[in-house]
């Protein structure tokens, strides 16, 4: 094994749905990738692989962070290109789940693998030790299982499975590659059928289906009960089956049925008749546009088991049960479900009871410890909390008593007793400060100590964990400034979705003062995603109300009625009523807040210490403006960035238009600025949001000097390293630019002309056109000759004036009101 082994080139064998998407994610991470498939019978021998790559363009959500990445995947076939495998450091096999086919392929490619090449099977549940037998003994030390979850770009979990001969050092290096390069959460699974996540997840689905039938609950009712109320994805149970594919689910169940004959729950590893019937009819789920659900006339219909036809989907939850489910404390929620006599509550308790029972009996056989099982379910199935987390939070011994009672009474799906380690009366937890419990070793195991995890200062935590985010420098109601023992200060927002209010802007200004006086750099990093969803619209409307509506010539006289509507609407929703009621008589004026925001942006840009925006998730509107003014952006690949103010009838006024116009001028390098300006204008006028950090770079929100990170948990580490690099070069802020060339009135005319065509084609509304004209005016520098030179304040003044004038318009008021009420934009 090479001392400095790096995975530089990867081959994926099999261009099916998973193989092609694994290849896509590899090039997302800038890993040179080959995609192998059987040669086409006619035409280009690489036709099958090429067709698979072409199909990636049609998938939603996209497996590619940018379509330009598609050309980085080299199609290949097994007849002509096996020699290319010699240059690969990793080969991932992703063909159909048949041991005979996989074994035949292994024997075919084995002679072409380099001495240090890792070979991994992306099997979802076949035996790794059995598969290893197809390789010569000398190559088995480099063989393992590597189970990606679908879709590979978005699902955090990868299960790593060794065979008896797998080299431990090789597996550690592969784990580091998966964590840092591909951004994954790795769990080491034992070589048992379906490993950890699918074993538990599929059982949970089967148990839910079993109890739904027993309690006579319809599929849509089950989904209403088992989705977000339980901290699980909105797809819940039966919608999840449609997303996965009913045929794929059937295959995994068959694997359990055929390979787990000794499992005490084996009798339940079969498909119900109705599911087999849907599969026979080709109703395979989302990919077939019909499964348990189907869309008819833009409405969702569900298969009714009693009627044997599709009917309009309804969410019928018992009001008493709904009240129980709204409880956030798992101890209270589970106790109430257990005690309730309501059928829907009894169904949910039965579902949890059998899930806990199954996990307890099988933990020792399938996983190294309780943490690995919980993380596998969270990262692989999108659950907020794993089974053992919920059990422990609800009271370990209390749940044990309930389980024992039901098992003894014969109400559980299996009569097998709970293991001794579970019923140990001294046990109150499986997750603690000392680690997570391992039945195999009868010890608490700490997290992995591999060097790659040192980059995660604050790794994913388990329910009940307490994370200490450094030492506080200062803290207000909206922000906290803190540090971790070095000379770099960190600023975190505390508002919901990290929305930007006047008080939060004050906090940023105070942090900048503190950083310039006592620290070497300032990082804006949120302890929880998202970076920032934008400005506080409610405060904006309240700020408008403070203007004297009787003042002659006031732009805001018409706002009193609109404000009352917003107060009624928001308060009626219940979620923001306290904010509305509390905001009386001391709300800042809108123009003052805009001036303050512009001041914050300029301070971030010209601070005497480097400022780093560590972006994760949404950076919209004002959140985008904060980030683009920082010295550097370090963004997680799954960041969605954009100036979206047009959605509420406004335009960016915190320096967003100014910054984009300034970047266009810099890119033009003295030539015609308009071609460079046009793409920035389109992004803002259409409210375009990047669907990845890679696309944000293509759109101009990220510069060439900004960094992209694959793993969310490494974001702060990389941001600190970027700050240290800037400090090491004796950082100086950029020089203030006072001579920025503008596109002027000619640029405005050209942009208006393109919008007229869109208006006449009914692609935009009249108000969209009006907003776009104002964006054009700001970005082109106003009514000036082409090439006129202005400073940044000129643009900021244009932003502020046009923002305030748009804010006074009735259609903009309606957009803001609609957004506050419905959480989505109104196109009026």
């Amino acid at each position: 094994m090479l001392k400095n082994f790096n995975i530089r080139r990867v081959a994926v064998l099999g261009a099916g749905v998973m193989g092609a998407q694994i290849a896509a994610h590899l090039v997302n991470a800038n890993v040179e990738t080959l995609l192998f498939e059987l040669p086409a019978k006619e035409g280009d021998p690489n036709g099958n692989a090429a067709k698979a790559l072409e199909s990636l363009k049609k998938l939603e959500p996209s497996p590619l962070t940018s379509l330009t990445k598609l050309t980085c995947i080299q199609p290949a076939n097994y007849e002509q290109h096996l020699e290319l495998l010699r240059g690969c450091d990793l080969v991932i096999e992703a063909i159909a789940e048949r041991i005979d086919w996989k074994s035949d392929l292994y024997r075919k490619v084995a002679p072409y693998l380099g001495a240090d090449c890792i070979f991994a099977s992306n099997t979802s549940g076949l035996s790794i030790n059995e598969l290893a037998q197809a390789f010569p003994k000398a190559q088995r030390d480099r063989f393992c299982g590597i189970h990606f979850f679908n879709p590979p770009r978005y699902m955090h979990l990868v299960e790593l499975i060794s065979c008896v001969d797998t080299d431990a050092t090789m597996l550690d290096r592969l784990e580091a590659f998966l964590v840092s390069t591909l951004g994954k959460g790795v769990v080491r699974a034992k070589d048992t059928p379906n490993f950890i996540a699918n074993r538990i997840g599929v059982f949970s689905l089967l148990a839910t289906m079993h109890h739904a039938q027993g309690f006579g609950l319809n599929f849509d009712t089950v989904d209403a009960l088992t989705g977000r109320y339980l901290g699980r994805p909105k797809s819940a149970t039966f919608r999840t089956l449609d997303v996965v594919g009913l045929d794929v689910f059937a295959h995994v169940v068959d694997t359990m049925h055929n390979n787990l004959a000794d499992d005490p729950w084996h009798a339940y590893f079969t498909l119900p008749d109705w599911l087999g019937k849907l599969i026979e009819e080709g109703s395979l789920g989302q990919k077939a546009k019909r499964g348990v659900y189907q869309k008819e006339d833009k409405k969702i219909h569900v298969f009714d088991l009693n009627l044997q036809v599709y009917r309009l989907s309804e969410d019928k939850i018992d009001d008493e049960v709904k009240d129980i489910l709204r409880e956030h404390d798992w101890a209270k929620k589970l106790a109430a479900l257990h005690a309730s006599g309501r059928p829907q509550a009894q169904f949910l308790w039965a579902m949890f009871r059998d899930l806990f029972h199954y996990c307890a009996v099988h933990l020792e056989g399938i996983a190294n410890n309780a943490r690995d099982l919980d993380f596998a379910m969270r990262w692989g199935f999108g659950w907020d909390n794993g089974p053992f987390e919920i059990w422990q939070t609800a009271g370990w011994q209390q749940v044990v008593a309930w389980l024992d009672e039901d098992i003894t009474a014969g109400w559980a799906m299996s009569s097998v007793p709970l293991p001794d380690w579970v019923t140990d009366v001294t046990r109150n937890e499986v997750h603690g400060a000392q680690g997570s419990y391992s039945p195999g070793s009868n010890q608490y195991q700490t997290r992995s100590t591999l060097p790659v995890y040192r980059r995660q200062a604050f790794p994913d935590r388990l329910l009940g964990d307490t994370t200490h985010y450094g030492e506080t420098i200062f803290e207000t109601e909206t922000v906290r400034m803190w540090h971790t023992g070095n000379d770099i200060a960190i600023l975190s927002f505390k508002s919901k979705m990290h929305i930007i209010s006047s008080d939060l802007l004050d906090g940023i200004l105070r942090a900048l003062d503190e950083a310039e006086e006592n620290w070497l750099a300032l990082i804006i990093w949120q302890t929880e995603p998202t970076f920032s969803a934008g400005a506080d619209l409610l405060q904006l409307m309240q700020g408008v109300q403070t203007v004297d509506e009787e003042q002659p010539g006031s732009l805001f006289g018409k706002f009193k009625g609109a404000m009352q509507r917003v107060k009624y609407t928001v308060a009626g929703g219940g979620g923001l009523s306290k904010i509305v009621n509390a905001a009386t008589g001391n709300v800042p004026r809108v123009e003052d807040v805009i001036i303050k925001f512009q001041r914050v942006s300029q301070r971030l840009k010209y601070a005497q210490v480097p400022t780093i925006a560590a972006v994760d998730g949404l950076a919209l509107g004002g959140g985008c403006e904060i980030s683009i003014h920082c010295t550097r952006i370090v963004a997680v690949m799954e960041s969605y960035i954009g100036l979206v103010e047009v959605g509420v009838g406004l335009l960016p006024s915190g320096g967003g238009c100014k910054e984009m116009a300034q970047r266009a001028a810099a890119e033009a390098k003295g030539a015609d600025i308009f071609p460079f300006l046009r793409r920035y204008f389109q992004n803002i006028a259409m409210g375009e949001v990047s669907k990845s950090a890679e696309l944000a770079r293509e759109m101009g929100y990220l510069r060439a000097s900004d960094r992209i990170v694959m793993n969310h948990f490494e974001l702060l580490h990389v941001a600190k390293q970027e700050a240290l690099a800037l400090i090491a070069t004796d950082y100086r802020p950029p020089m203030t630019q006072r001579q920025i060339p503008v596109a002027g009135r000619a640029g405005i005319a050209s942009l208006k002309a393109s919008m007229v065509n869109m208006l006449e084609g009914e692609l935009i509304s009249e108000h969209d056109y009006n907003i776009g004209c104002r964006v054009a005016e700001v970005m082109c520098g106003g009514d000036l000759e082409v090439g006129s030179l202005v400073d940044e304040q000129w643009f900021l003044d244009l932003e502020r004036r046009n923002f305030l004038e748009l804010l006074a318009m009735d259609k903009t008021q309606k957009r803001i009101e609609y957004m506050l009420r419905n959480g989505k934009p109104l196109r009026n």
Side-chain angles (χ1 to χ4, degrees):
M1 186 73 68
L2 296 174
K3 182 178 180 181
N4 293 323
F5 180 74
N6 292 311
I7 295 176
R8 298 156 296 184
R9 196 181 198 204
V10 179
V12 178
L13 309 184
V17 173
M18 279 301 289
Q21 291 195 67
I22 291 170
H25 192 60
L26 286 163
V27 294
N28 287 342
N30 293 325
V31 177
E32 186 179 349
T33 304
L34 297 92
L35 180 62
F36 277 79
E37 188 48 272
L38 293 169
K41 295 180 180 179
E42 299 179 357
D44 180 5
N46 289 333
N48 290 331
K51 183 179 179 181
L53 293 177
E54 191 66 22
S55 69
L56 292 174
K57 297 179 182 179
K58 304 172 186 176
L59 294 179
E60 287 294 338
S62 176
L64 294 155
T65 56
S66 168
L67 287 180
T68 61
K69 295 284 189 180
L70 194 60
T71 60
C72 300
I73 304 175
Q74 180 181 344
N77 67 80
Y78 300 119
E79 286 190 2
Q80 295 177 308
H81 303 121
L82 290 181
E83 284 289 340
L84 296 176
L85 294 176
R86 298 190 192 278
C88 293
D89 304 302
L90 170 65
V91 175
I92 300 173
E93 169 269 307
I95 68 170
E97 289 285 275
R98 283 185 50 171
I99 285 184
D100 55 341
W101 290 1
K102 290 178 185 287
S103 298
D104 287 344
L105 180 61
Y106 297 175
R107 285 187 282 268
K108 184 173 185 176
V109 304
Y112 299 92
L113 302 178
D116 293 293
C117 178
I118 301 170
F119 192 101
S121 174
N122 182 56
T123 176
S124 60
L126 298 179
S127 170
I128 300 304
N129 280 290
E130 188 173 348
L131 287 171
Q133 300 308 306
F135 281 102
K137 180 71 174 177
Q139 289 181 309
R140 293 176 194 169
D141 64 330
R142 303 191 304 280
F143 178 71
C144 66
I146 180 173
H147 182 208
F148 288 86
F149 276 67
N150 190 24
R153 171 184 166 185
Y154 301 96
M155 298 306 294
H156 191 57
L157 178 65
V158 170
E159 291 175 318
L160 267 187
I161 313 97
S162 63
C163 68
V164 293
D165 297 309
T166 303
D167 179 82
T169 301
M170 178 276 287
L171 209 61
D172 290 346
R173 288 171 172 168
L174 181 57
E175 180 166 348
F177 169 78
L178 292 168
V179 170
S180 238
T181 305
L182 298 190
K184 296 304 177 186
V186 174
V187 167
R188 301 277 184 105
K190 296 184 179 181
D191 188 21
T192 55
N194 289 351
F195 312 127
I196 302 175
N198 274 348
R199 180 77 173 269
I200 301 301
V202 170
F203 173 80
S204 178
L205 289 167
L206 289 170
T208 302
M209 292 162 63
H210 167 74
H211 289 305
Q213 184 172 348
F215 283 94
L217 300 181
N218 293 319
F219 300 149
D220 45 351
T221 299
V222 171
D223 278 352
L225 290 165
T226 60
R228 290 308 301 155
Y229 281 124
L230 301 186
R232 298 183 183 180
K234 291 181 181 179
S235 57
T237 300
F238 294 102
R239 285 189 180 90
T240 294
L241 294 183
D242 275 356
V243 172
V244 170
L246 302 189
D247 55 336
V248 175
F249 176 71
H251 173 78
V252 178
V253 173
D254 283 344
T255 300
M256 294 176 71
H257 180 80
N258 296 333
N259 296 286
L260 293 169
D262 296 333
D263 192 303
W265 285 265
H266 182 265
Y268 299 99
F269 300 161
T270 58
L271 295 178
D273 292 340
W274 63 266
L275 188 57
K277 182 181 177 182
L278 287 177
I279 293 172
E280 286 179 14
E281 294 173 352
S283 302
L284 304 180
Q286 189 170 279
K287 59 189 174 185
K289 298 185 178 180
R290 185 176 68 179
V292 178
Y293 292 89
Q294 70 171 351
K295 185 178 286 189
E296 296 179 9
D297 300 324
K298 298 184 179 181
K299 294 183 178 179
I300 303 298
H301 290 69
V302 63
F303 184 74
D304 190 297
L305 198 55
N306 296 319
L307 301 175
Q308 290 291 300
V309 295
Y310 288 90
R311 60 162 173 79
L312 193 64
S313 177
E314 302 173 312
D315 293 339
K316 294 182 178 179
I317 302 183
D318 185 305
D319 287 341
E320 184 178 304
V321 175
K322 186 178 290 187
D323 288 340
I324 295 173
L325 292 176
R326 284 173 174 157
E327 172 61 58
H328 294 295
D329 185 329
W330 272 110
K332 295 178 180 178
K333 181 183 290 188
L334 215 57
L337 290 174
H338 179 263
S340 175
R342 300 277 183 171
Q344 290 181 8
Q346 292 176 342
F347 155 75
L348 288 169
W349 162 247
M351 186 188 77
F352 275 113
R353 174 197 64 214
D354 291 303
L355 173 63
F356 292 156
H357 190 189
Y358 194 80
C359 290
V361 170
H362 288 297
L363 174 61
E364 182 175 357
I366 66 175
N368 291 319
N369 53 59
R371 176 181 54 251
D372 286 352
L373 189 149
D374 279 345
F375 277 150
M377 297 313 301
R378 285 167 51 170
W379 296 343
F381 277 76
W383 294 6
D384 289 353
N385 305 117
F388 287 118
E389 290 182 278
I390 296 172
W391 184 342
Q392 178 172 316
T393 305
W396 187 266
Q397 292 298 332
Q398 176 62 78
V399 174
V400 167
W402 290 337
L403 294 182
D404 269 336
E405 180 184 348
D406 283 12
I407 293 168
T408 302
W411 296 332
M413 291 170 67
S414 171
S415 61
V416 64
L418 291 169
D420 291 342
W421 70 266
V422 172
T423 57
D424 181 351
V425 294
T426 65
R427 183 173 309 287
N428 291 307
E429 63 181 18
V430 289
H431 302 303
Q434 70 273 44
S436 294
Y437 184 71
S438 168
S441 64
N442 192 30
Q443 293 178 333
Y444 283 80
Q445 295 181 350
T446 61
R447 298 191 186 213
S448 172
T449 57
L450 289 178
V452 68
Y453 293 108
R454 296 173 196 159
R455 297 163 59 89
Q456 299 183 11
F458 304 103
D460 205 353
R461 53 185 194 269
L462 294 160
L463 195 65
D465 278 356
T466 55
T467 301
H468 177 63
Y469 290 106
E471 302 302 320
T472 300
I473 300 169
F474 77 82
E475 187 169 9
T476 70
E477 290 186 358
T478 56
V479 302
R480 176 177 179 253
M481 189 178 186
W482 51 286
H483 69 93
T484 57
N486 54 21
D487 291 325
I488 298 173
I490 302 166
L491 183 69
S492 299
F493 300 168
K494 295 168 58 178
S495 53
K496 185 176 181 180
M497 296 292 287
H498 305 133
I499 59 173
I500 301 163
S501 64
S502 179
D503 289 344
L504 190 143
L505 294 172
D506 288 333
I508 299 176
L509 290 171
R510 180 177 170 185
L512 284 164
D513 289 341
E514 171 69 26
E516 288 181 326
E517 185 172 342
N518 296 308
W519 303 87
L520 297 182
L522 176 65
I523 297 174
I524 301 177
W525 177 79
Q526 316 302 2
T527 57
E528 297 287 344
T530 221
F531 182 76
S532 174
D536 186 342
L537 292 177
L538 184 59
Q539 187 181 68
L540 173 69
M541 294 295 280
Q542 293 167 340
V544 167
Q545 192 186 31
T546 65
V547 178
D548 182 6
E549 60 266 30
E550 304 300 327
Q551 179 181 341
S554 169
L555 290 171
F556 307 101
K558 63 179 75 176
F559 258 97
K560 185 174 182 179
M563 188 59 214
Q564 293 302 322
R565 290 197 301 275
V566 172
K567 275 194 173 183
Y568 172 80
T569 301
V570 176
L576 294 172
S577 58
K578 291 182 180 179
I579 299 176
V580 174
N581 295 332
T584 56
N586 190 29
V587 180
R589 293 174 64 248
V590 173
E591 186 168 10
D592 292 341
V593 176
I594 296 171
I595 292 171
K596 188 189 298 182
F597 201 150
Q598 292 179 345
R599 182 180 166 212
V600 164
S601 296
Q602 294 300 92
R603 285 285 310 278
L604 286 168
K605 185 173 182 178
Y606 294 108
Q608 294 301 308
V609 297
T611 56
I612 313 291
V615 175
D616 184 4
L618 302 178
L620 303 179
C624 177
E625 288 178 298
I626 285 175
S627 66
I628 62 177
H629 281 89
C630 288
T631 311
R632 290 284 188 275
I633 297 175
V634 178
V636 173
M637 181 61 83
E638 297 308 325
S639 294
Y640 312 103
I641 304 172
L643 296 167
V644 296
E645 285 82 354
V646 296
V648 288
L650 299 167
L651 53 73
S653 61
C657 293
K658 177 268 303 178
E659 191 65 17
M660 295 297 103
Q662 201 168 350
R663 290 186 185 185
E667 291 169 13
K669 297 179 180 178
D672 182 9
I673 189 178
F674 186 75
F676 300 92
L677 187 71
R678 181 163 45 198
R679 72 160 178 152
Y680 291 119
F681 165 79
Q682 182 175 330
N683 290 340
I684 296 174
M686 301 302 293
E688 297 283 354
V689 177
S690 74
K691 294 183 179 180
S692 69
E694 195 69 52
L695 282 175
R697 197 192 297 282
E698 293 178 15
M699 295 168 69
Y701 291 127
L702 265 61
R703 298 151 294 196
S705 58
D706 293 326
R707 307 296 180 207
I708 296 177
V709 180
M710 294 298 288
N711 196 314
H712 151 85
F713 296 106
E714 294 184 350
L715 178 61
L716 182 59
H717 168 81
V718 178
K720 284 185 175 182
Q721 295 303 308
E722 194 67 19
L724 290 171
L726 289 165
I727 294 166
T729 57
D730 193 24
Y731 175 77
R732 298 288 299 172
M735 301 291 286
T736 304
Q737 296 190 31
R738 296 182 173 85
Q739 293 189 324
I740 307 168
V742 300
R745 63 177 70 95
I748 297 172
S750 295
L751 294 175
K752 283 185 175 180
S754 64
M755 286 189 294
V756 167
N757 292 333
M758 295 180 71
L759 180 63
E760 292 178 349
E762 299 184 350
L763 299 174
I764 60 174
S765 68
E766 288 189 8
H767 195 46
D768 289 327
Y769 174 77
N770 191 4
I771 300 166
C773 288
R774 291 176 178 275
V775 174
E777 179 187 349
V778 175
M779 298 191 71
C780 292
D783 189 18
L784 299 173
E785 292 292 332
V786 176
S788 297
L789 300 176
V790 300
D791 61 10
E792 289 181 83
Q793 191 59 48
W794 177 269
F795 282 107
L796 294 173
D797 291 343
L798 284 173
E799 279 186 359
R800 187 171 67 255
R801 176 175 61 79
N802 280 279
F803 180 95
L804 293 172
E805 289 176 1
L806 283 170
L807 193 55
M809 296 180 181
D810 183 65
K811 288 187 176 180
T812 289
Q813 298 167 31
K814 284 184 168 59
R815 287 194 180 191
I816 296 174
E817 181 181 353
Y818 190 86
M819 178 64 77
L820 284 167
R821 179 191 297 172
N822 301 294
K824 56 184 179 181
L826 169 69
R827 291 297 180 188
N828 57 351

